[in-house]
DNA sequence: TTGCTATTTCAATACAAATTGAAATACATA
DNA sequence: TATGTATTTCAATTTGTATTGAAATAGCAA
């Protein structure tokens, strides 16, 4: 494999390709991280997270604000829940959703 | 629509559902944000970003480290490039990729 | 009990993203 | 010019995700 001369030198200084690989984060950590990003990769789900950062809400209010069908909303709420970004607490007929600590971190980190 | 009594009061204090909607980020901003998260939602792409945070690299070295086929790698590099997370600069036969400022922000923000 | 609302679940479909392998491009060098 | 390497592009296929509508569940209230 031929590579640019300067790059070759840079890699030598680091200690070779093996040293670069060693510096990488743990594989499982990257997989978990990518799953969280995947949960965040939908405009509707970001809207839900932002809503819940303003005020914990029951699904029916979220549904009204976001104008989604019940089953569609339920699907997206489940994606967020499974990834530990929100949690629901049941009270009578309603389930009130709120951000988890993890969810708060991501909503507040507006990059 | 019936909702939990406490929630009803909370929403009143905020100024009603309309006020909650007003507090939401701009729709286009959320769409853009979701696209970036989508670009970050793959373990391979996160690995590439982390690699480039250690050292800008040409595609062939990334290919060797990540053990991907040329066309597969090219596809993922294009996703990252299109979302302005990395950029490539051509020199002779090689294209050396490095993180953009935006890319650096996301790699350094290890939530 | 009956009916009503909130919510989820499920199966079918529709849509989008990722992978593959072959071919194209582009530059370097013998 | 001919060959080889780096990289991208393209079309076909596979895989994964989202949407839909109907049905199920669960609690409340008449």
């Amino acid at each position: 494999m031929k590579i640019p001369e300067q790059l070759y030198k840079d890699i030598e200084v680091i200690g070779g390709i093996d040293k670069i690989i060693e510096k990488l984060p743990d594989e499982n950590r990257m997989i978990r991280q990518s799953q969280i990003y995947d949960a965040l990769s939908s405009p509707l789900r970001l809207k839900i997270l932002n809503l819940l950062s303003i005020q914990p809400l029951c699904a029916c209010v979220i549904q009204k604000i976001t104008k989604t069908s019940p089953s569609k909303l339920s699907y997206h709420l489940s994606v967020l829940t499974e990834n530990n970004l929100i949690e629901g607490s049941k009270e009578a007929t309603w389930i009130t959703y709120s951000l988890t600590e993890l969810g708060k971190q991501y909503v507040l980190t507006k990059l």
Side-chain angles (χ1 to χ4, degrees), chain A:
Chain A
M1 184 176 55
K2 288 198 67 186
I3 64 175
E5 191 176 353
Q6 183 55 49
L7 176 52
Y8 185 81
K9 287 178 188 163
D10 290 345
I11 293 177
E12 281 232 314
V13 169
I14 294 173
I17 284 181
D18 290 349
K19 277 277 181 281
I20 293 178
I21 294 173
E22 275 177 31
K23 284 176 193 273
L24 282 176
D26 179 62
E27 187 75 23
N28 289 326
R29 193 177 191 290
M30 285 191 286
I31 290 172
R32 175 77 190 106
Q33 187 68 54
S34 71
Q35 289 167 339
I36 294 173
Y37 284 134
D38 197 50
L40 296 167
S41 71
S42 134
L44 175 55
R45 292 197 291 263
L46 287 187
K47 188 178 248 179
I48 293 169
L49 290 175
N50 277 288
L51 278 173
L52 299 182
S53 77
I54 299 167
Q55 166 69 44
L57 296 168
C58 62
C60 57
V61 173
I62 300 174
Q63 194 191 320
K64 181 164 192 185
I65 294 177
T66 60
K67 301 188 180 100
T68 42
S69 68
S71 67
K72 182 174 177 177
L73 180 61
S74 191
Y75 168 72
H76 288 283
L77 288 172
S78 78
V79 172
L80 291 170
T81 302
E82 279 158 20
N83 284 282
N84 196 32
L85 291 162
I86 67 175
E87 61 192 353
S89 83
K90 192 158 186 173
E91 184 202 335
T93 356
W94 306 285
I95 301 176
T96 299
Y97 286 94
S98 54
L99 297 181
T100 60
E101 281 308 311
L102 186 66
K104 283 178 197 166
Q105 286 184 292
Y106 279 96
V107 178
L108 298 179
T109 306
K110 306 263 184 193
L111 284 182

